[in-house]
Amino acid sequence: MAYLDHADGIDTDKLSYEIFSILESKFLFGYDDPKLWVPKQIPEPKNGVIPIGEAEIHAIKNQRGKICILSVDGGGGMRGIILGKALSYLEAALRNKSGDPDARIADYFDVAAGTGVGGIFTAMLFAANDQSRPIFCADDTWRFLAAEGKKFYRSRRQKIGLLKRVFRRTGSAGSANTGLEKAMKEAFKEKKTGRSLTLKNTLKPVLIPCYDLNSAAPFLFSRADALESDSFDFNLWEVCLATSAEPGLFSPVCMESVDRVTRCVGVDGGLAMSNPTAAAITHVLYNKQEFPFVRGVEDILVLSLGAGGQLMEGTFDYEQVRKWTAEDWARPLARISGEGSAELVDHAVAMAFGQCRSSNYVRIQANGSSFSRCGPHVDSDPSPSNVDLLTGIANETLKQKNVESVLFGGKRLGEQSNSEKLDWFAEQLVLEHQRRSCRIAPTVALKQPVSRPS
């Protein structure tokens, strides 16, 4: 029997340790290398076009390209102003980077998902009367909420238990539904015919969830499904009503597909999917008809927008919390559950992207410090003073350092602010948009609706 020399054994162990250390640092923590996460500088646009050299054109002819995804969390009532301001900033950045004064978010994203107020904003940005241009720009989102919110939200300053509000049959929920329904019907109707726009009338694939009381399961409204069958095509105003029907503020929404085959009784999408990013990514990975060349997350570019953490409600005092009754716990539990779910999705998605986390996935989320001066009812108080407060918080959020999930390491503050991250992401969107004209094969092959009779 041959024996390994003791010195050779030490050298072998040392070599194995060094190999493992290199693999660990490069595979698990390679994104900490500044070369991987510092934004690549691109030339300034000339005559509305970012210059691309001939060598680069030749190099990208056979590239698959990246599918661009926008995901917008539930905004928690008037807190959605924060989301709208981020969308407005992004669209302004796209116009600046592309040189196109009429650039819209829908021009640069291939898929959009939104829940709650985020679902309303998604429908606004991607719905079109004539299947060519969106009927709203990004700045319309937060302005719409600021102007119309008073019609369907009310202040929660009155001390009324959530459980009582959820289960009582009469009260202000009906009037809130009426206000929101009127606003949604007006927003999503064809100008010429007055007919309601449906999921088929969106420019790109959209995903908007709700919780269906009829089937006791989450229900995902999808443009792709609507194009396959009228049994999954719904009026956009009803979709928006269902995804934002927060229990206690709004009644459940009983709705039918355009052919009256599928029935849904929808409530708040945040109950089913507070952060729809994972659903959007899954949709792209398994939708080979519209996205035939996607192999994995390395072929996806994702922007996920959140509206702020649970610090908006203030920190919890132990001596106070220990005296809470079941009714006192109702609203904090709903908030903790929804926001905890959104954060878990963010962390899981960040882990799934691995080494391309910093180049392919961006999460914009208020870190909570902006809300220290807010009262506990800021999210659904539509008063003018509160709108001004939330607008200020939204502007402050854009200046905050970006907070990102770290693979197996929780959260960390980045070097860039949220606005700088959005600027960088806008650059990537513009570059991807321009590179598609140079590729041999199409990056996407979106299905188009077939016109149906009135």
Side-chain angles (χ1 to χ4, degrees):
M1 180 180 293
Y3 292 92
L4 184 67
D5 183 83
H6 180 66
D8 291 339
I10 293 176
D11 289 339
T12 302
D13 290 342
K14 182 178 179 182
L15 179 61
S16 299
Y17 175 78
E18 289 177 351
I19 292 174
F20 179 80
S21 297
I22 291 172
L23 289 173
E24 180 184 55
S25 62
K26 295 299 182 184
F27 178 71
L28 296 181
F29 307 106
Y31 53 82
D32 283 331
D33 185 345
K35 295 179 181 179
L36 295 178
W37 61 263
V38 171
K40 179 183 177 182
Q41 298 298 318
I42 63 176
E44 290 296 322
K46 295 180 180 180
N47 298 322
V49 178
I50 295 176
I52 300 177
E54 291 200 13
E56 186 176 7
I57 291 176
H58 180 74
I60 65 179
K61 279 185 178 180
N62 296 316
Q63 287 181 353
R64 296 185 303 276
K66 289 183 172 64
I67 304 302
C68 305
I69 296 175
L70 173 65
S71 176
V72 189
D73 286 11
M78 297 302 294
R79 191 169 26 152
I81 288 175
I82 299 170
L83 298 168
K85 291 289 285 187
L87 290 167
S88 179
Y89 185 93
L90 174 65
E91 191 167 88
L94 287 171
R95 290 172 179 169
N96 179 50
K97 303 296 181 183
S98 67
D100 179 5
D102 195 38
R104 300 290 185 88
I105 282 178
D107 298 332
Y108 293 90
F109 285 96
D110 304 302
V111 178
T115 187
V117 173
I120 295 177
F121 289 174
T122 297
M124 292 177 68
L125 294 176
F126 286 82
N129 274 310
D130 54 3
Q131 296 300 319
S132 61
R133 300 302 296 158
I135 55 179
F136 293 100
C137 66
D139 203 49
D140 293 328
T141 56
W142 72 271
R143 294 186 184 278
F144 172 86
L145 186 59
E148 301 292 332
K150 59 180 177 292
K151 297 179 182 178
F152 41 85
Y153 288 115
R154 71 181 191 281
S155 174
R156 288 177 177 151
R157 297 184 188 279
Q158 295 179 342
K159 189 173 179 59
I160 304 175
L162 178 65
L163 294 179
K164 291 181 180 178
R165 293 200 305 269
V166 170
F167 293 110
R168 66 184 179 183
R169 295 181 179 273
T170 60
S172 57
S175 60
N177 271 61
T178 302
L180 182 57
E181 179 177 329
K182 183 178 180 181
M184 293 296 96
K185 281 184 176 180
E186 183 63 29
F188 299 109
K189 70 176 182 180
E190 290 185 345
K191 294 181 179 178
K192 294 181 179 179
T193 65
R195 185 173 61 180
S196 296
L197 298 174
T198 71
L199 286 167
K200 288 184 179 180
N201 297 119
T202 52
L203 295 168
K204 305 285 181 68
V206 297
L207 302 165
I208 302 175
C210 75
Y211 186 85
D212 180 18
L213 298 177
N214 194 40
S215 61
F219 190 96
L220 193 61
F221 300 102
S222 167
R223 175 185 186 268
D225 292 338
L227 293 178
E228 290 292 331
S229 170
D230 282 347
S231 297
F232 296 101
D233 191 20
F234 292 84
N235 292 323
L236 277 176
W237 71 265
E238 290 182 299
V239 171
C240 292
L241 205 64
T243 194
S244 58
E246 181 182 346
L249 284 179
F250 304 98
S251 301
V253 181
C254 185
M255 55 197 295
E256 293 180 335
S257 57
V258 295
D259 62 0
R260 299 187 177 181
V261 170
T262 306
R263 185 172 178 269
C264 173
V265 181
V267 293
D268 189 6
L271 296 175
M273 203 178 296
S274 54
N275 180 346
T277 305
I281 292 172
T282 303
H283 177 79
V284 169
L285 291 176
Y286 289 94
N287 185 354
K288 294 302 182 182
Q289 283 186 317
E290 295 185 301
F291 313 107
F293 303 112
V294 173
R295 298 187 304 180
V297 293
E298 67 274 11
D299 297 326
I300 299 175
L301 193 63
V302 180
L303 174 63
S304 176
L305 301 180
Q310 64 192 35
L311 286 177
M312 171 166 288
E313 294 290 330
T315 56
F316 298 116
D317 178 74
Y318 171 73
E319 292 300 325
Q320 182 183 13
V321 170
R322 64 193 294 266
K323 300 175 184 178
W324 282 0
T325 64
E327 186 175 297
D328 294 327
W329 268 105
R331 177 165 173 74
L333 280 178
R335 174 58 56 79
I336 292 171
S337 175
E339 291 173 358
S341 174
E343 289 301 304
L344 283 175
V345 169
D346 171 39
H347 193 67
V349 169
M351 291 179 66
F353 274 87
Q355 282 188 301
C356 58
R357 154 72 178 88
S358 295
S359 60
N360 290 47
Y361 175 64
V362 172
R363 171 77 167 170
I364 303 297
Q365 171 84 323
N367 61 28
S369 62
S370 303
F371 307 123
S372 58
R373 63 183 183 276
C374 301
H377 309 288
V378 66
D379 55 350
S380 290
D381 181 1
S383 64
S385 60
N386 195 54
V387 169
D388 292 339
L389 176 61
L390 285 168
T391 302
I393 290 175
N395 293 330
E396 187 176 330
T397 297
L398 291 172
K399 299 175 184 177
Q400 291 174 353
K401 294 292 185 182
N402 182 250
V403 180
E404 58 184 25
S405 293
V406 179
L407 195 63
F408 307 126
K411 300 279 188 179
R412 73 172 178 188
L413 277 176
E415 293 296 321
Q416 297 175 292
S417 66
N418 286 324
S419 60
E420 289 171 332
K421 276 285 188 179
L422 288 173
D423 283 326
W424 174 81
F425 200 89
E427 290 178 348
Q428 306 310 304
L429 290 173
V430 172
L431 276 175
E432 172 60 29
H433 187 72
Q434 293 181 359
R435 285 170 176 167
R436 290 185 180 183
S437 63
C438 304
R439 297 191 182 111
I440 297 174
T443 304
V444 298
L446 299 181
K447 292 181 289 187
Q448 298 302 320
V450 177
S451 59
R452 57 186 174 86
S454 301

